[in-house]
Amino acid sequence: MNIDLSGRSAIVTGSTRGIGRGIAELLSDCGANVAIVGRDPATAEMVASTMKSAKGFGCDITDSEAVTGLIGEVEKTFGAVDILVNNAGITRDNLLMRLKDEDWDAVLNANLKAAFVATRVVTRGMMKRRWGRVINVASVVGLIGNKGQANYAASKAGLIGFTKSVAKELASRNILANVVAPGFIETDMTAALTPEARDALSKQIPLERLGKPADIAGTVAFLASEYAAYITGQVFVVDGGMVM
Ligand code: NAI
């Protein structure tokens, strides 16, 4: 199976590092033009310069106007946006009693509202062209919950409900929307884990290791490809078997 995305253009939010960068690298290796999106345009450009056909864009995805502007710019640069990967996300963990309104709003805005705004804008062109792929990066925490992550779990569970609704609404226009739900992946987000915590975690994972960004990227590239033309509204758990 050879995934060929040549002629397609993709936006991957939060792609200057971690899972997003891994996704952008693989989409670019598969031949897509890729918009690397991060808060800092210089970093985004630098990361884009390491890939085959990519361009860096600066955008704070919690700023709805900036997201609309970004999509317009990417459409101008690449001619269209065929694939949107809503990957950028944050955590502001705390136990329920200590969770502040600001922690709730920040996480819901970055993880859920930003995906809604980007999807609303990008699907306009996709509807006209009768082809589109929206791939949302949630988390297994959105399926099973987690102590100290009520805000994060709510945002990721919300992303799953959002994706299924978009899938139903836009299927007739050949726009497919799916979720990839990672388990524990080695990135800056999980770098704070102590070696002991990492070992304890690995023991709960049948494949006995944390995942790598490339493990998530493979599923995203598949979902963006023609091999996934009959799949929409689904949640793909990529977690080494941790949740089953
Ligand atoms: P990370 O923290 O390494 O990278 C997140 C990226 O999003 C960064 O490039 C950051 O700059 C960007 N970002 C955050 N807020 C932004 C904003 N307002 N505007 C523009 N860019 C923004 O995180 P990681 O681990 O790569 O996570 C990526 C996605 O995968 C997130 O949605 C996360 O919730 C999800 N995930 C990660 C897991 C893990 O174990 N690392 C597990 C499950 C889900």
Side-chain angles (χ1 to χ4, degrees), residues 1-222:
M1 184 163 97
N2 184 22
I3 293 182
D4 180 10
L5 299 177
S6 46
R8 298 282 180 215
S9 298
I11 294 181
V12 184
T13 65
S15 44
T16 54
R17 68 179 198 213
I19 294 173
R21 184 171 180 159
I23 293 170
E25 271 163 5
L26 185 56
L27 296 183
S28 150
D29 284 348
C30 293
N33 297 315
V34 183
I36 305 298
V37 182
R39 278 199 208 85
D40 173 36
T43 309
E45 259 311 332
M46 191 271 287
V47 171
S49 71
T50 66
M51 298 179 202
K52 264 194 223 152
S53 177
K55 192 167 175 356
F57 297 84
C59 177
D60 178 344
I61 52 131
T62 60
D63 175 344
S64 301
E65 263 180 49
V67 170
T68 306
L70 163 79
I71 290 163
E73 250 187 89
V74 178
E75 281 174 340
K76 245 190 260 156
T77 307
F78 293 146
V81 177
D82 306 298
I83 302 157
L84 169 66
V85 184
N86 287 306
N87 163 80
I90 60 166
T91 52
R92 292 269 191 285
D93 298 352
N94 223 329
L95 294 172
L96 181 62
M97 290 302 147
R98 296 192 195 134
L99 204 55
K100 298 193 178 76
D101 286 14
E102 302 91 88
D103 300 326
W104 178 271
D105 291 343
V107 168
L108 269 289
N109 281 337
N111 298 4
L112 183 56
K113 187 177 174 198
F116 148 64
V117 173
T119 304
R120 184 180 58 189
V121 178
V122 95
T123 49
R124 197 181 294 266
M126 289 175 175
M127 284 199 272
K128 281 196 201 122
R129 292 186 297 277
R130 295 281 196 274
W131 201 99
R133 300 288 159 95
V134 177
I135 300 157
N136 293 325
V137 179
S139 167
V140 289
V141 166
L143 296 169
I144 60 171
N146 198 19
K147 281 190 242 174
Q149 289 200 306
N151 51 354
Y152 184 75
S155 73
K156 296 302 192 178
L159 202 50
I160 292 170
F162 170 70
T163 308
K164 291 183 179 186
S165 303
V166 170
K168 286 188 174 173
E169 206 170 306
L170 300 183
S172 64
R173 312 295 179 97
N174 195 31
I175 297 170
L176 314 182
N178 289 289
V179 170
V180 177
F184 286 100
I185 309 298
E186 306 259 14
T187 68
D188 290 0
M189 208 178 242
T190 46
L193 291 171
T194 61
E196 297 75 42
R198 194 172 295 265
D199 273 2
L201 254 179
S202 300
K203 290 206 179 84
Q204 296 168 32
I205 302 170
L207 288 176
E208 292 180 3
R209 65 169 177 89
L210 269 66
K212 296 185 168 55
D215 293 318
I216 305 304
T219 306
V220 173
F222 163 70

